[in-house]
Amino acid sequence: EIHTYMTTEKGIVKKRLPISYFRSRSHPFISEIYNTLYSGPGRGKNFISKDYLLGMDPLAIAIWYMDDGGLYYRKDRYGYGKEYPLLMINTQSFSDESQKNCSDYFSDVYGIRFGIHHNRGLRLVSSDRNSVRKFVEIVSPHILPYFVYKVQLR
């Protein structure tokens, strides 16, 4: 569907520009997920309960990681030594409780240590350097070819 609209500057019509847009209906399953993730404590922030996380299998974790995760290399805090890998999952929009739930989930279910770290004033979930290989082993079978760079360790 193509529409036109008028651009104005101080009330003076400048020109008509074509725009296109589309609307879609949300599948009830997607609506259910949305309502689950946005209806917890601290509305306006994603909320992930422990029970929701326990329903995630390695495929679901891989999908989440492909979308919101990344593999980074850093040196120690003084900039010395050999680089080591870290995994981060962008959870800045999650409530504090949800971030703790995520960290506890990876530790309790997979024995992978994730902590809550600060990055530019925002909190996110990040692995410790010794847990990266184990996480990569869990998600690698489900990673799409385009996202292989997110699991390639040096």
Side-chain angles (χ1 to χ4, degrees):
E1 184 172 348
I2 297 179
H3 298 276
T4 59
Y5 73 99
M6 304 285 227
T7 60
T8 62
E9 187 173 309
K10 297 181 183 176
I12 301 169
V13 174
K14 292 176 82 174
K15 59 183 170 179
R16 284 180 147 330
L17 298 172
I19 62 168
S20 343
Y21 64 89
F22 69 94
R23 289 179 242 185
S24 64
R25 293 183 181 191
S26 178
H27 189 279
F29 177 72
I30 300 300
S31 295
E32 181 182 333
I33 292 171
Y34 177 86
N35 291 333
T36 299
L37 295 177
Y38 285 92
S39 64
R43 285 185 181 263
K45 291 213 170 243
N46 289 7
F47 178 77
I48 297 185
S49 68
K50 291 179 181 180
D51 288 337
Y52 188 88
L53 288 163
L54 289 171
M56 293 180 69
D57 61 6
L59 173 60
I61 296 167
I63 291 169
W64 183 21
Y65 179 67
M66 285 185 284
D67 184 40
D68 287 331
L71 176 64
Y72 303 91
Y73 284 86
R74 8 179 357 179
K75 294 186 177 194
D76 69 21
R77 67 176 139 169
Y78 305 109
Y80 298 107
K82 184 179 175 186
E83 287 186 328
Y84 59 89
L86 286 177
L87 294 164
M88 292 185 188
I89 299 177
N90 292 304
T91 56
Q92 295 93 327
S93 65
F94 290 20
S95 68
D96 293 347
E97 181 182 351
S98 294
Q99 290 183 351
K100 178 154 180 16
N101 289 344
C102 292
S103 178
D104 292 347
Y105 166 75
F106 285 112
S107 177
D108 296 346
V109 175
Y110 295 102
I112 298 172
R113 292 187 48 178
F114 270 80
I116 299 165
H117 299 278
H118 295 269
N119 183 10
R120 298 181 187 152
L122 300 170
R123 294 164 44 108
L124 55 98
V125 176
S126 175
S127 71
D128 76 354
R129 67 175 90 182
N130 299 317
S131 296
V132 173
R133 288 196 188 285
K134 190 167 187 178
F135 182 90
V136 166
E137 287 172 9
I138 291 166
V139 299
S140 285
H142 308 288
I143 298 293
L144 297 173
Y146 182 80
F147 295 102
V148 168
Y149 71 95
K150 291 190 175 201
V151 293
Q152 286 180 327
L153 299 172
R154 294 186 207 160

